Amino acid sequence: MVNRLILVLGDQLTPSLSALREADCKTDTVVMAEVASEAEYVRHHPKKIALIFAAMRKFAGQLKQDGWNVAYTRLDDPDNAGSIPGELLRRAAEFKAQTVLVTEPGEWRLIEALRDTPLDMHLLPDDRFLASHAEFEGWARDRKQLRMEYFYRDMRRKTGLLMEGDKPQGGKWNFDHDNRKPAKADLFAQGPLRFEPDPVVSEVLDLVEVQFGENFGDLRPFWFATTREQALAALNHFVTHSLPRFGDYQDAMLTEDPFLYHAVISPYLNIGLLTPLEVCEAAEAAFMRGDVPINAAEGFIRQIIGWREYMRGIYFLEGPSYVSRNALEHTRDLPGFFWGAKTKMACVTAAIDQTKKHAYAHHIQRLMVTGNFALLAGIDPHQVHEWYLEVYADAFEWVEAPNVVGMSQFADGGVIASKPYVSSGAYINRMSDHCKTCAYKVSQKTGEGACPFNLLYWDFLLRHRDRFANNARMGNMYRTWDRMKDDHKVQVLDDAKVLLARLDAGQAV
Ligand code: FAD
Ligand code: DLZ
Ligand code: SF4
């Protein structure tokens, strides 16, 4: 009998993982390792590291109870080789094994590192996702534009979710039109289910505090789910309390409420504690019972079988160079306020404070506040990419990079987005309560107190006029600009220049 190692990574904590399905618990050894190379290749938020280590330890414990041989390496183990390939080589020598089974990692960096080892490496498809690489490639082939909406419809047909025969429930594929309600200050949402640290979590928190306490982000209070049972309870809590209003307030932002009606399950989905299909089935069942309206159920399911799958498809289709794209040739450094330095912009302060506290910000904050600012200001997209990869508990490259490099920064030149996601302060004012307390005035278009988003919006559009002027979805913006008085235009662009110069000089904006 050949001894085999079964590698299970920190974001592969799913009992039905393809590598575990292929393995034999009587003869194979599962290898799991907390390693410096994964924890340090970017400076992850301490909460993200704690989530992964605690969930890994508990998953390993469960595997042992289920009868598996598990070789688990803790970060502070003196024999720890410091990297996944290093740990595999060490365990291969220990167990006299040459063959490794592993479910394909979600990052090119690690796929390449595994392929480079001298071991007999078998990479199995990650079938926790609905669409295989071949299926996505087949869908993308011969299409001029890779728009998510059409991919999503195929996934609805494939899964049968919210389908009546071959027709979508409610007569429409997409109910987004009903999902644009702005935030009201008295909006009351329960927020996510929180879990008290148990001894395993507490031990991990102490380790992370010592090893990664200097990284950006608050380690405590820590309340994430770290087992499948807890994650299922968090999902159930969301479906009961928040899903009914998820659709209505999906794009809303409130200074005092980071979570609103969002699910806060992406960290659990992305490390494997939940599977996408079971999450969608829970939402569909709530709709069928009459507990949630169609716009909520459809909107939520679209995020998962549509956007989430589509992003992964793009990441693997476009290849390892995708993360380095910079179609708009943006080179400015990321301003210090992304790391907590002071900014007078109330919307940015709220998004970054919440990120620091919770390793979480919801989609519109990521896209229309921090992402929008970085794009308008012309920040180097690679720095933006690394920031997002570091600060969010749900950030793994297969999903983070297409969202940041593609959707948010347009650095892929339009593979994902048909136009850049940019807006002036008016959008943020409509969807949030931030502008009421801001040092800047959202209604002011020029001068000292003008909202920076108002100034940078036009500066961005003018900088890139050659590229975007003929984009059918952007013509209106340029026509609005062309109708403005010349002296106003000069003032806007001069004020934007001053603002960018202050940013470059490291002054508070
Ligand atoms: P909800 O709003 O409740 O949505 C439900 C689920 O839908 C999420 O849990 C998630 O699994 C899925 N989903 C929604 N939108 C997307 C999307 N655009 N791409 C993929 N899945 C989606 N999501 C990540 O999981 N990891 C990331 O690193 C990440 N980086 C992002 C960076 C930027 C610039 C932007 C604009 C979006 C990013 N997203 C990322 C997508 C989205 O912001 C998060 O999935 C969402 O905020 C997670 O919180 P939630 O569980 O409360 O989501
Ligand atoms: C993100 C992460 C961290 C911080 N630490 C570990 C670790 O110590 N061991 C491990 O197996 N995985 C870790 N991960 C998750 C990997 O980085 C992840 O598998 C790859 O980025 C591919 O998605
Ligand atoms: Fe943000 Fe501008 Fe509103 Fe201030 S005024 S909160 S900077 S959009």
Side-chain angles (χ1 to χ4, degrees), residues 246 262-266 270 303 360 363 366 394-395 400 403:
F246 170 85
H262 290 276
V264 198
I265 56 162
S266 49
N270 295 353
Q303 304 311 310
Y360 178 88
H363 186 74
R366 298 188 205 195
D394 60 18
E400 174 277 330
N403 268 299

Side-chain angles (χ1 to χ4, degrees), residues 44-321:
H44 303 281
H45 194 298
K47 268 201 174 77
K48 177 181 180 185
I49 302 177
L51 167 71
I52 292 170
F53 286 3
M56 283 174 71
R57 289 182 184 191
K58 292 183 181 186
F59 187 75
Q62 187 60 50
L63 288 178
K64 281 184 194 160
Q65 271 187 27
D66 294 345
W68 291 87
N69 302 311
V70 182
Y72 190 96
T73 311
R74 292 182 174 216
L75 189 77
D76 51 8
D77 184 330
D79 294 329
N80 192 322
S83 70
I84 296 290
E87 273 298 290
L88 280 175
L89 289 171
R90 185 169 78 87
R91 295 301 192 182
E94 182 181 343
F95 294 101
K96 301 194 173 27
Q98 183 58 30
T99 303
V100 179
L101 295 189
V102 56
T103 296
E104 182 186 71
E107 197 172 332
W108 287 111
R109 172 188 59 84
L110 204 48
I111 294 176
E112 284 162 2
L114 291 181
R115 285 194 179 132
D116 285 348
T117 67
L119 297 164
D120 180 17
M121 191 70 61
H122 295 256
L123 265 69
L124 306 172
D126 191 345
D127 54 14
R128 295 175 299 171
F129 293 91
L130 301 172
S132 67
H133 296 331
E135 201 173 347
F136 193 83
E137 279 160 28
W139 173 80
R141 196 174 305 130
D142 302 331
R143 278 176 199 262
K144 273 210 194 104
Q145 295 192 316
L146 302 181
R147 296 292 161 250
M148 192 285 297
E149 183 63 26
Y150 298 105
F151 170 75
Y152 163 58
R153 292 180 192 180
D154 283 357
M155 290 298 107
R156 287 273 293 278
R157 291 188 191 95
K158 176 176 174 169
T159 58
L161 285 162
L162 295 180
M163 296 295 290
E164 287 177 307
D166 58 355
K167 298 270 183 318
Q169 282 275 6
K172 280 198 296 187
W173 290 103
N174 184 319
F175 287 79
D176 231 6
H177 184 65
D178 305 341
N179 289 354
R180 302 268 153 76
K181 292 202 176 63
K184 287 184 277 181
D186 61 351
L187 217 56
F188 174 77
Q190 287 232 349
L193 196 58
R194 297 166 190 234
F195 302 88
E196 281 294 317
D198 57 21
V200 175
V201 173
S202 296
E203 197 182 359
V204 166
L205 292 180
D206 290 344
L207 170 85
V208 171
E209 184 167 32
V210 173
Q211 301 281 350
F212 308 102
E214 299 294 301
N215 291 10
F216 173 80
D218 301 347
L219 176 61
R220 295 186 172 87
F222 182 93
W223 47 258
F224 281 134
T226 48
T227 61
R228 176 165 164 74
E229 286 65 34
Q230 289 181 338
L232 282 169
L235 169 65
N236 192 29
H237 173 90
F238 161 71
V239 170
T240 309
H241 299 290
S242 299
L243 181 59
R245 302 180 87 185
F246 170 85
D248 290 351
Y249 297 107
Q250 208 180 328
D251 291 1
M253 293 176 277
L254 281 181
T255 307
E256 296 302 326
D257 186 349
F259 307 111
L260 291 159
Y261 296 97
H262 290 276
V264 198
I265 56 162
S266 49
Y268 312 145
L269 272 168
N270 295 353
I271 66 173
L273 300 183
L274 297 175
T275 65
L277 202 54
E278 74 187 344
V279 166
C280 293
E281 283 168 354
E284 184 189 44
F287 167 72
M288 293 300 189
R289 288 195 303 271
D291 293 346
V292 307
I294 184 76
N295 68 310
E298 186 283 315
F300 180 72
I301 287 173
R302 174 161 26 89
Q303 304 311 310
I304 294 177
I305 66 170
W307 281 113
R308 186 171 185 271
E309 294 283 331
Y310 167 86
M311 290 300 182
R312 176 173 184 266
I314 296 283
Y315 178 75
F316 282 104
L317 186 73
E318 293 293 315
S321 63

Side-chain angles (χ1 to χ4, degrees), residues 310-493:
Y310 167 86
M311 290 300 182
R312 176 173 184 266
I314 296 283
Y315 178 75
F316 282 104
L317 186 73
E318 293 293 315
S321 63
Y322 186 78
V323 297
S324 312
R325 297 209 188 148
N326 188 356
L328 301 181
E329 296 176 21
H330 284 170
T331 53
R332 181 161 278 113
D333 283 336
L334 197 68
F337 59 73
F338 276 78
W339 301 112
K342 199 177 154 29
T343 162
K344 292 186 279 177
M345 295 181 281
C347 54
V348 175
T349 302
I352 291 175
D353 271 4
Q354 292 169 8
T355 300
K356 179 170 174 287
K357 267 196 198 119
H358 302 295
Y360 178 88
H362 72 65
H363 186 74
I364 292 301
Q365 295 173 300
R366 298 188 205 195
L367 188 63
M368 299 312 292
V369 178
T370 42
N372 188 14
F373 186 89
L375 179 56
L376 293 178
I379 311 294
D380 170 5
H382 200 74
Q383 291 186 33
V384 183
H385 152 66
E386 290 205 332
W387 184 79
Y388 278 91
L389 192 56
E390 292 182 15
V391 301
Y392 291 112
D394 60 18
F396 297 88
E397 201 175 90
W398 64 266
V399 56
E400 174 277 330
N403 268 299
V404 174
V405 174
M407 185 193 271
S408 166
Q409 299 301 297
F410 207 82
D412 65 4
V415 174
I416 287 180
S418 54
K419 74 172 188 53
Y421 279 94
V422 286
S423 79
S424 66
Y427 174 84
I428 295 172
N429 188 36
R430 192 162 64 249
M431 300 314 296
S432 79
D433 64 352
H434 299 317
C435 302
K436 289 189 192 118
T437 56
C438 188
Y440 295 106
K441 263 188 119 168
V442 72
S443 56
Q444 199 173 322
K445 313 284 189 226
T446 55
E448 268 279 296
C451 165
F453 286 86
N454 293 345
L455 299 172
L456 296 180
Y457 176 72
W458 292 117
D459 187 71
F460 171 87
L461 288 177
L462 271 288
R463 266 193 343 258
H464 295 295
R465 189 164 190 154
D466 286 351
R467 175 182 281 268
F468 295 125
N470 294 326
N471 181 318
R473 298 184 63 202
M474 298 179 76
N476 265 342
M477 302 170 178
Y478 287 104
R479 282 191 286 280
T480 303
W481 172 258
D482 290 339
R483 281 196 299 270
M484 288 180 195
K485 292 208 172 85
D486 284 344
D487 56 345
H488 178 72
K489 290 189 207 168
V490 170
Q491 190 66 55
V492 170
L493 296 183

